[in-house]
Amino acid sequence: MRYHNPVLLHESVDLLITNPSGTYIDLTFGGGGHSRAILERLSEDGRLLAFDQDSDSQANRIDDPRFCFIPSNFKNLTRFLQYYKTYPADGILGDLGVSSHQIDTAARGFSYRQDGLLDMRMNSQQELTAADIVNRYDEGQLSTLFYRYGELSNGRQVARCIVHAREAGNIETTFGLLEALQPCLPKAKPSKVLSKIFQALRIEVNKEMDVLESMLLQTPGALKAGGRLVIISYHSLEDRMVKNIMRAGNLSGVVEKDFFGNPLTPFKLVTRKAILPGEEETAENPRARSAKLRAAEKIEPKRV
């Protein structure tokens, strides 16, 4: 199975590892690139737990006594850390991008560039697919979806195109959806709009924002004092949520203060600004162009 070269590999692992004998979490195992780099930095006493709900990723499991693969969504972070007696951990890393293996496998339906069933499920065991959304959501639901998760200003027009096209029969494939969308695509750079439409559908199928929110809210408790949270995001919806949790410890981004005006945030920023891939990396790996790396460190709670 072909998986992408990990984005911002060295930068992310450098920021993550503070104790070679510690316990670390890879939230998005995929092809195992980040996990292998982490293991190279750990001592014999170190430990790495890796999450991935995609059954295909299990073929990449690493044969190392320090490594534990967890076939589950990272929304279950706390539950499994407690189960494996690794709560709290020394560091958590998440690369939120879709893997090249998923995109390049036509049958998964993630890309408009290849014909396949409108699936888009990260976890093939769940019921909801992109085809269900395209064929069952009404115009208002589709419009809201494309505006909220695709950040499309013409979301209603896109929704209307889909509703009109499906009057002739269900839209079951990526190329079928592509054909339905033709009347509402711009002549210049239609791929930009298509990427946002497919992104919105993928997010809705997998409830990605809900899952990310759940995981991020667990991270303050899941990390030891001094532990690192390192996240690579790829679109503004993810990045905003990551930035807010690291800056304020909540999703609103508003830093709460105690009676004396001291900030009540569980983290301090390690990266003041997002780290972006260099020109060489983006030239070799187009997927890296939209990547943003942010890192924060868990603060030792003040004793009252």
Side-chain angles (χ1 to χ4, degrees), residues 15-258:
L15 288 168
L16 179 72
I17 306 295
T18 56
N19 173 19
S21 298
T23 297
Y24 294 88
I25 313 301
D26 183 351
L27 296 170
T28 48
F29 179 67
H34 281 108
S35 281
R36 288 181 175 83
I38 293 169
L39 287 168
E40 289 177 0
R41 300 279 295 273
L42 298 185
S43 69
E44 293 182 358
D45 298 324
R47 193 173 182 188
L48 173 63
L49 278 67
F51 286 76
D52 207 305
Q53 64 181 330
D54 188 342
S55 58
D56 285 353
S57 67
Q58 296 197 44
N60 304 312
R61 294 171 71 161
I62 302 169
D63 184 14
D64 189 308
R66 301 169 298 170
F67 177 78
C68 176
F69 180 83
I70 301 172
S72 178
N73 191 297
F74 57 52
K75 69 181 180 182
N76 300 313
L77 174 64
T78 298
R79 181 193 309 173
F80 280 100
L81 294 194
Q82 291 175 336
Y83 177 80
Y84 285 105
K85 297 180 171 55
T86 55
Y87 186 89
D90 293 271
I92 297 172
L93 170 65
D95 180 345
L96 304 179
V98 181
S99 75
S100 58
H101 167 68
Q102 291 168 328
I103 293 173
D104 294 341
T105 304
R108 302 294 295 271
F110 284 102
S111 174
Y112 60 86
R113 299 182 186 279
Q114 302 181 80
D115 196 19
L117 293 177
L118 271 174
D119 192 321
M120 299 194 192
R121 292 174 296 174
M122 298 287 190
N123 181 356
S124 59
Q125 301 303 309
Q126 76 173 44
E127 294 185 4
L128 184 69
T129 68
D132 294 329
I133 293 169
V134 167
N135 292 297
R136 296 179 188 174
Y137 281 27
D138 63 29
E139 184 177 316
Q141 290 174 304
L142 288 171
S143 176
T144 300
L145 169 66
F146 294 131
Y147 177 77
R148 180 179 298 166
Y149 295 147
E151 300 181 286
L152 285 169
S153 58
N154 66 332
R156 183 162 293 279
Q157 181 188 7
V158 172
R160 193 172 294 123
C161 278
I162 291 173
V163 171
H164 176 72
R166 74 190 190 195
E167 290 176 356
N170 282 351
I171 302 170
E172 301 288 355
T173 66
T174 53
F175 279 10
L177 177 58
L178 192 61
E179 182 179 352
L181 293 170
Q182 289 305 311
C184 57
L185 292 177
K187 293 182 179 180
K189 298 182 179 179
S191 60
K192 187 174 182 180
V193 175
L194 283 169
S195 295
K196 291 183 176 182
I197 292 170
F198 273 65
Q199 171 185 295
L201 289 170
R202 191 198 75 230
I203 289 173
E204 177 71 3
V205 167
N206 299 288
K207 306 301 179 188
E208 291 179 26
M209 302 314 296
D210 294 337
V211 168
L212 179 60
E213 175 181 326
S214 175
M215 179 274 290
L216 289 173
L217 290 174
Q218 293 175 62
T219 56
L223 284 168
K224 297 177 182 177
R228 295 286 179 86
L229 175 62
V230 180
I231 303 289
I232 303 169
S233 61
Y234 292 84
H235 56 76
S236 59
L237 300 174
E238 294 173 337
D239 185 56
R240 188 180 306 121
M241 200 177 287
V242 171
K243 182 166 55 177
N244 286 346
I245 203 77
M246 289 184 176
R247 180 176 295 170
N250 58 55
L251 298 176
S252 70
V254 178
V255 179
E256 298 179 359
K257 297 183 179 181
D258 64 16

Side-chain angles (χ1 to χ4, degrees), residues 227-230 246 267-271 294-298:
R228 295 286 179 86
L229 175 62
V230 180
M246 289 184 176
F267 293 114
K268 68 176 180 181
L269 297 179
V270 177
T271 55
R294 296 185 187 275
E297 184 172 291
K298 173 73 177 294

